[in-house]
Amino acid sequence: MSANTESFLLSDLERPAACALNVRGQGQAILVCEHASRFVPDSLNGLGLSDEAARSHAAWDIGALELSVELMRALDAPLVHSRVSRLAYDCNRPPSAPDAIPPKSERFDVPGNNDLSNAQRTARVIEVYEPFRDLLSQTLDTRPAPPVLITIHSFTPIYRGERRTVELGILHDTDDRAAQLLLKAAQSSGLNTALNEPYSATDGVTHTLREHGLKRGLPNVMIEVRNDLIDTPAGVNRISGLLAPMLAQMVKQLTTEAAE
């Protein structure tokens, strides 16, 4: 499928696949929310999902977009987010990753992702992943000074039958500068915080950090918030109020050091 081929995945009314907000923000961070939406293009017929699966954490990161928007405002930072469910294509995975288009997510089957042809997989890459990737690259590359890359995610309190006590996860790949600063700041937040929990780079969850942060030499960090803390407006407001000062302090310290 070439770039000139007529789309058969997203309709004109369903585009764009990714969106950038507050692009003229003056803050020295870029926020990213790869799993912001549970929207599935009409052409995919709901991926054959049950109603429970379509509304569950498997389809999106519950509360992550709302939290990202509040942090965007607090930090005056641009925000880039996907507008398509990660079950159609997970924008935090490279096209080579088997779980970029998962046939199953935790306990939920995704029938519409089974037995895909090369053309069908390529369409997902071209129409969902590449617009997100290109928009994020453009947003990063047009900043007047090198920013700090911050990705925002949420995770379910119970996974594969196991209850998670961690409330805030701070994840990093090979560059841990931002993560270590946040971990130190979070000690006084009152949140049960852990480094590289409930996931880590070994789980394949740091693609965005690698592709857009490490390759540019930018400080970067991935934030995971347990979704029962941000599934209401009041919860989002509370967590944003805790995170925003920590992030602002971290960004200030990293950008000050870079300028020296």
Side-chain angles (χ1 to χ4, degrees):
M1 181 176 177
S2 70
N4 295 323
T5 301
E6 183 178 355
S7 167
F8 61 86
L9 182 62
L10 289 166
S11 71
D12 289 341
L13 293 177
E14 292 172 333
R15 295 192 198 94
C19 181
L21 304 177
N22 194 35
V23 293
R24 297 180 180 175
Q26 299 301 301
Q28 291 183 281
I30 296 286
L31 298 172
V32 183
C33 191
E34 301 100 317
H35 305 149
S37 174
R38 63 183 182 90
F39 172 72
V40 175
D42 285 346
S43 65
L44 297 180
N45 298 313
L47 291 171
L49 297 169
S50 67
D51 185 64
E52 181 188 7
R55 296 178 179 276
S56 76
H57 66 276
W60 61 334
D61 279 359
I62 296 168
L65 179 59
E66 291 81 2
L67 178 61
S68 297
V69 169
E70 290 233 5
L71 293 173
M72 173 194 80
R73 293 168 178 157
L75 301 174
D76 192 23
L79 165 63
V80 177
H81 70 86
S82 175
R83 299 181 65 246
V84 179
S85 171
R86 64 177 166 201
L87 293 182
Y89 187 95
D90 187 335
C91 286
N92 193 30
R93 300 292 190 278
S96 60
D99 56 349
I101 306 175
K104 186 170 185 176
S105 180
E106 196 200 354
R107 61 189 177 90
F108 297 108
D109 291 321
V110 190
N113 287 346
N114 287 312
D115 302 319
L116 297 181
S117 68
N118 288 335
Q120 288 172 319
R121 295 187 68 89
T122 299
R124 306 269 190 107
V125 173
I126 289 176
E127 296 194 48
V128 181
Y129 174 70
E130 291 184 358
F132 171 84
R133 180 200 64 193
D134 294 348
L135 182 60
L136 179 51
S137 290
Q138 179 185 8
T139 304
L140 286 164
D141 292 341
T142 56
R143 300 302 292 169
V148 179
L149 179 65
I150 304 168
T151 69
I152 306 296
H153 297 256
S154 71
F155 62 95
T156 180
I158 299 175
Y159 186 71
R160 300 188 186 278
E162 296 292 328
R163 181 167 295 278
R164 291 157 156 172
T165 59
V166 171
E167 297 174 310
L168 173 65
I170 301 173
L171 284 62
H172 66 81
D173 200 273
T174 57
D175 180 352
D176 69 347
R177 290 175 292 169
Q180 293 294 345
L181 289 174
L182 275 183
L183 183 65
K184 183 177 180 180
Q187 292 174 356
S188 60
S189 70
L191 296 172
N192 185 358
T193 305
L195 192 66
N196 292 321
E197 293 288 347
Y199 309 105
S200 72
T202 59
D203 297 305
V205 300
T206 55
H207 171 64
T208 298
L209 301 186
R210 292 180 180 182
E211 180 70 17
H212 299 278
L214 296 180
K215 286 185 177 180
R216 290 174 172 80
L218 301 176
N220 57 86
V221 66
M222 178 176 174
I223 293 173
E224 287 271 9
V225 179
R226 206 174 66 200
N227 68 26
D228 60 328
L229 302 178
I230 53 173
D231 59 359
T232 65
V236 169
N237 185 259
R238 171 178 171 261
I239 297 300
S240 175
L242 293 173
L243 283 178
M246 294 192 291
L247 292 172
Q249 177 184 340
M250 177 266 290
V251 169
K252 181 178 180 181
Q253 184 167 342
L254 288 170
T255 54
T256 298
E257 290 174 355
E260 291 176 349

